[in-house]
């Protein structure tokens, strides 16, 4: 299957540069997974489309202030680093994404705002990639990132981070720090919405997948089967695994909030269909032809053309259905990407749906 098969025209003005003025006041498209029928709603109507007894699974990863600027010792020039994950237990050795990576060689030293020094260490696995290994004499903890870092807004947001992003580029239920990008489907949820869902008899469970930027890197292969995903670490608590497995046994719906929750659940599922508790890592890549073992419905944002996330939702609801829905989103001026509007991909049509294709 070709990467270009997942292209669609997107006017630049539909790429959201800021969140909605009030959290949760976004548009909601409802897409019926099998028929491809679409209807247009507001986020506040979401509980009307979720059946009582559904288990919703959220990713509670918290975004680290992972974009940090260092000054190159030999030139005095500023260099941007995106800190992804630590490579040792001490926290002195980090995997980073670097702009102009080809020019960032082993032994180069950079001074960060608090005076700490990071040195690039040669690593063969990073050759030809955007990634480098950076070693410090001191351990970097969350206080270091809070002091030195910026919120890692994605590159399609053409502005620097602002004070308001510290709250708005974080879900209200974020708990476990470690992501270099927000699991953005969760940005639409407020405490009030979570209470409304619970009042309707909708159960909630939590997983943690720390989002790395590999998910958002462009697919450079012409054939998607040749693309290699970057590794991400996840944790599934025992309570969540028990809830998911019981819901599957009893025929209840599993609704994954965000593609990160989808990847976590599917990666942790055995061939026999049991979701295992514990911590693991995954490079799972879902594109048309993938058979979903756990997830029945997905709540998500609108994704970039030719991205692995668009391929994932296309695997779930069919490429033609997704591309037709995205064309409708463009025609109806939905806002796209991290700070944009939302889509619920449901497995059954709802009587409330209107404006169907």
């Amino acid at each position: 299957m070709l990467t270009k098969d997942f292209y669609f025209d997107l006017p630049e003005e539909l790429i959201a540069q800021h969140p909605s003025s009030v959290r949760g006041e976004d548009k909601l498209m409802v897409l019926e997974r099998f028929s491809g029928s679409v209807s247009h709603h507001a986020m506040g109507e979401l509980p009307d489309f979720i059946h009582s007894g559904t288990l919703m699974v959220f990713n509670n990863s918290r975004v680290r202030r992972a974009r940090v600027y260092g000054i190159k010792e030999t030139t005095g020039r500023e260099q941007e680093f995106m800190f992804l994950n630590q490579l040792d237990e001490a926290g002195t050795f980090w995997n980073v994404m670097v702009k102009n990576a080809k020019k960032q060689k082993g032994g180069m030293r950079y001074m960060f705002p608090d005076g700490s020094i990071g040195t690039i260490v040669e690593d063969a696995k990073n050759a030809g990639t955007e990634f480098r290994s950076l070693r410090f004499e001191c351990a970097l903890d969350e206080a270091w990132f809070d002091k030195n870092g910026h919120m890692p807004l994605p590159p399609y947001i053409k502005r620097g981070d602002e004070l308001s992003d510290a709250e708005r580029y974080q879900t209200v239920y974020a708990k476990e720090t470690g992501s270099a990008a927000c699991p953005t489907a969760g940005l639409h949820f407020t405490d009030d919405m979570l209470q409304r869902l619970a009042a309707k008899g909708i159960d909630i469970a939590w997983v943690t997948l720390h989002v790395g930027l590999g998910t958002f890197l462009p697919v450079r292969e012409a054939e998607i089967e040749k693309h290699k995903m970057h590794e991400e670490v996840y944790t599934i608590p025992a309570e969540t695994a028990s809830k998911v497995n019981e819901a599957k046994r009893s025929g209840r719906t599993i609704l994954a909030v965000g593609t990160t929750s989808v990847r976590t659940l599917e990666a942790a599922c055995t061939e026999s269909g049991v979701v295992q508790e514990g911590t693991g890592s995954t490079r799972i890549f879902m594109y048309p032809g993938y058979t979903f073992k756990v997830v029945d419905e997905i709540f998500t944002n609108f994704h970039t053309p030719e991205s692995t996330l668009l391929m994932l939702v296309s695997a779930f609801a069919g490429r033609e259905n997704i591309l037709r829905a995205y064309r409708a989103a463009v025609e109806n001026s939905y806002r796209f990407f991290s700070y944009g509007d939302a889509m619920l991909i449901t497995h059954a049509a709802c009587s409330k749906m209107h404006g169907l294709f």
Side-chain angles (χ1 to χ4, degrees), residues 86-94 135-141:
Q86 64 187 63
L87 299 172
D88 65 345
E89 291 187 7
T92 60
F93 196 29
W94 287 79
R135 187 178 294 283
F136 291 78
E137 294 181 357
C138 60
L140 308 189
D141 56 15

Side-chain angles (χ1 to χ4, degrees), residues 27-261:
K27 292 181 180 179
L28 172 67
M29 176 183 286
V30 179
L31 168 65
E32 203 283 313
R33 178 183 179 186
F34 299 109
S35 72
S37 61
V38 164
S39 62
H40 306 285
H41 306 274
M43 180 63 191
E45 299 174 71
L46 178 65
D48 297 336
F49 297 97
I50 304 176
H51 295 290
S52 177
T54 294
L55 176 63
M56 295 183 72
V57 181
F58 292 78
N59 179 10
N60 66 4
S61 181
R62 186 173 185 83
V63 182
R64 172 180 286 133
R65 298 179 70 90
R67 176 176 281 123
V68 190
Y69 296 89
I71 301 298
K72 189 175 181 180
E73 281 192 339
T74 56
T75 66
R77 291 182 180 176
E78 185 176 74
Q79 177 65 47
E80 177 183 315
F81 294 89
M82 188 71 73
F83 284 71
L84 301 178
N85 56 282
Q86 64 187 63
L87 299 172
D88 65 345
E89 291 187 7
T92 60
F93 196 29
W94 287 79
N95 178 36
V96 297
M97 181 182 284
V98 193
K99 283 192 173 182
N100 301 315
K102 289 182 180 179
K103 298 181 179 180
Q104 314 310 316
K105 309 292 186 181
M108 289 183 174
R109 289 162 52 91
Y110 299 84
M111 179 178 288
F112 291 87
D114 69 340
S116 56
I117 301 294
T119 304
I120 292 181
V121 177
E122 289 285 3
D123 191 333
K125 75 175 186 297
N126 290 329
T129 74
E130 298 90 344
F131 304 98
R132 292 292 181 268
S133 300
L134 200 59
R135 187 178 294 283
F136 291 78
E137 294 181 357
C138 60
L140 308 189
D141 56 15
E142 295 310 322
W144 187 91
F145 287 102
D146 288 342
K147 180 178 181 179
N148 292 278
H150 297 261
M151 291 301 284
L153 298 181
Y156 45 74
I157 294 180
K158 305 297 185 181
R159 61 177 177 82
D161 63 313
E162 301 169 359
L163 186 62
S164 60
D165 293 307
E167 176 205 359
R168 293 303 300 274
Y169 195 64
Q170 202 82 265
T171 64
V172 298
Y173 49 78
K175 183 179 179 181
E176 305 294 339
T177 302
S179 280
C182 184
T184 53
L187 293 178
H188 301 281
F189 290 84
T190 62
D191 290 329
D192 178 67
M193 175 59 74
L194 295 174
Q195 291 171 10
R196 288 177 59 198
L197 293 168
K200 189 176 176 180
I202 295 163
D203 200 3
I204 289 176
W206 308 98
V207 297
T208 304
L209 181 140
H210 292 314
V211 187
L213 295 184
T215 301
F216 305 97
L217 288 176
V219 178
R220 296 192 174 95
E221 301 286 352
E223 299 176 4
I224 66 175
E225 293 86 352
K226 295 180 179 179
H227 176 71
K228 303 298 182 185
M229 295 287 284
H230 289 273
E231 189 173 57
E232 293 173 310
V233 176
Y234 66 83
T235 299
I236 298 182
E239 181 182 8
T240 295
S242 177
K243 281 188 174 185
V244 171
N245 292 325
E246 176 54 34
K248 297 303 290 184
R249 282 193 295 269
S250 59
R252 292 161 52 211
T253 298
I254 307 293
L255 196 173
V257 176
T259 56
T260 57
S261 297

